[in-house]
Amino acid sequence: MAPKIFVTGGTGYIGGSVLHTIVTTHPEYEVTALLRNVPDAFSSTYPKVRIVKGDYDSTDLLSEEASKADVVVHNGDSDHEPSLNAIIAGILRRPTPGFLLFLSGTGILADWADDTYLGKENPKIWSDIDDLDEERSLPDYALHRNTEKILHATAAEKGDKIKIAIMTPPDIYGKGLGLAKTWSALLPIFAKEVNALGGKVFKYGEGTNTRSWVHINDLMKVYMKVLEAAVAGGSNFGWNQEGVYYASTQEHTHISLAIAMGAILKKHGLINDATPVDVSLDQIDTMAKHPLFPKLGRYMFVANSRTRPHRAEKLFAYKGTEPGFLECLEEELLDAMKRA
């Protein structure tokens, strides 16, 4: 019998890429996708995918579909508790254990709330094997901490009936593979703030704060390995208390990104001066405004989030094979400037 896969967030940057990769890599899987809006080309592109119309608040529908799936791949709003609780409830109704791949992110590890390393390099590099106890003790204000607490509690209490993998990518670059959103978050936001500063790339302090990165295609390799292990009954992969998967392949400082962006934008006549200007923390706090996260500017532009994918390296010799972020920057930045 073909494995049954239920995918949410199938029109998002990551979720759309996940859905595309599953369908094209394993056409034998029976895939169901939750879609709020169905792209015009969806049914012609993925004729075998069963569509259920709904969103993350369609909790009864989420539970019902999760109860029928061997594996649920939940993408999209990583902080949305009702959808996660509904999916868990559905999986727990299954007569046999089910698997959940949940999209979180290394934002949970970012040091934006601590002034110590804002604009400076934090020497802490997180491991998805060695640092899980420390990650699980992070304060409640950490990004995605609310949903990860639900996952940890579920794994501890119901680990015989559900197997969980928390997919924890860093910042992502590369064109998405789906039919709707195909761009990532940071560059469009950075481009918008460059325009707001009158055509100036910028830094805070030393600008040596460092973030890990992964190409979307490399991230899909991790997803497929974990999904295939789930379909195989778990294989020798880590689940529940060991079920955390980072995916970084490289890291870059903010200043290196700002300098590279400045050079590209000046080359194309979009700014006059490529030199990064210094901005204050008060200015940073006016950037990337978000009603649910007033310090998003600190997270995006002055914090550190450094990770190593030790679990994937150990399990299947994972490493990045796509071009590096700075190699792809020109095309992606020019596209982001059009959206700014």
Side-chain angles (χ1 to χ4, degrees):
M1 184 178 294
K4 293 179 172 60
I5 316 297
F6 178 43
V7 179
T8 69
T11 57
Y13 176 57
I14 299 175
S17 298
V18 169
L19 177 63
H20 178 85
T21 303
I22 293 172
V23 172
T24 55
T25 305
H26 287 286
E28 75 278 14
Y29 289 179
E30 292 184 11
V31 179
T32 297
L34 176 81
L35 299 177
R36 181 177 56 194
N37 300 303
V38 182
D40 291 340
F42 190 91
S43 293
S44 59
T45 305
Y46 309 121
K48 293 175 62 178
V49 173
R50 173 174 165 261
I51 299 170
V52 292
K53 294 291 293 294
D55 58 26
Y56 297 127
D57 291 318
S58 304
T59 52
D60 290 342
L61 177 62
L62 287 165
S63 287
E64 178 63 21
E65 294 300 329
S67 73
K68 297 185 291 188
D70 300 305
V71 185
V72 179
V73 187
H74 187 33
N75 310 287
D77 188 342
S78 301
D79 302 310
H80 194 269
E81 297 180 26
S83 59
L84 176 57
N85 285 324
I87 286 170
I88 290 171
I91 294 174
L92 294 178
R93 297 206 319 251
R94 287 173 46 85
T96 58
F99 289 81
L100 170 61
L101 277 61
F102 176 82
L103 173 63
S104 184
T106 59
I108 193 172
L109 309 173
D111 59 1
W112 58 272
D114 182 352
D115 291 347
T116 304
Y117 291 107
L118 295 183
K120 304 175 185 177
E121 179 188 286
N122 188 334
K124 173 66 176 180
I125 301 175
W126 293 80
S127 164
D128 55 6
I129 291 179
D130 299 330
D131 294 323
L132 295 188
D133 287 343
E134 185 176 357
E135 180 178 334
R136 291 186 181 112
S137 67
L138 288 168
D140 285 352
Y141 60 70
L143 290 172
H144 318 318
R145 175 73 173 138
N146 62 319
T147 44
E148 290 209 10
K149 286 172 68 175
I150 292 171
L151 293 166
H152 298 321
T154 301
E157 297 167 9
K158 303 290 186 179
D160 58 330
K161 299 192 69 175
I162 186 171
K163 306 299 179 185
I164 298 168
I166 303 177
M167 311 303 289
T168 313
D171 286 288
I172 309 170
Y173 66 99
K175 185 177 181 180
L177 305 174
L179 296 177
K181 186 180 179 184
T182 58
W183 58 92
S184 62
L186 191 143
L187 275 183
I189 295 174
F190 203 154
K192 180 179 179 180
E193 298 303 336
V194 168
N195 284 341
L197 285 173
K200 301 287 187 181
V201 293
F202 59 89
K203 68 179 181 70
Y204 169 72
E206 298 171 6
T208 51
N209 47 292
T210 303
R211 304 168 74 97
S212 293
W213 290 84
V214 66
H215 193 286
I216 187 70
N217 293 348
D218 285 327
L219 175 60
M220 290 305 102
K221 297 172 190 173
V222 180
Y223 260 93
M224 289 311 303
K225 289 291 188 180
V226 178
L227 176 65
E228 289 165 349
V231 168
S235 189
N236 63 338
F237 277 49
W239 306 99
N240 294 342
Q241 297 307 316
E242 295 181 348
V244 176
Y245 292 85
Y246 299 164
S248 56
T249 60
Q250 64 209 269
E251 60 179 26
H252 300 284
T253 63
H254 178 90
I255 186 63
S256 67
L257 176 57
I259 289 171
M261 287 176 60
I264 292 167
L265 295 175
K266 184 176 181 181
K267 169 187 169 183
H268 288 273
L270 297 174
I271 62 174
N272 296 320
D273 187 352
T275 305
V277 299
D278 290 300
V279 295
S280 68
L281 202 54
D282 286 341
Q283 286 176 285
I284 292 290
D285 286 339
T286 68
M287 296 177 177
K289 299 302 291 183
H290 192 286
L292 300 179
F293 187 13
K295 299 296 185 181
L296 183 58
R298 296 191 183 202
Y299 166 65
M300 299 293 288
F301 303 126
V302 302
N304 295 267
S305 182
R306 309 176 66 191
T307 58
R308 296 292 183 272
H310 290 154
R311 192 169 303 281
E313 290 172 351
K314 179 180 179 181
L315 286 169
F316 50 92
Y318 170 66
K319 64 178 181 179
T321 59
E322 296 293 328
F325 179 41
L326 296 183
E327 296 175 69
C328 300
L329 181 60
E330 184 166 10
E331 180 180 357
E332 294 202 18
L333 177 59
L334 295 177
D335 182 66
M337 290 298 288
K338 297 174 185 177
R339 304 179 190 280

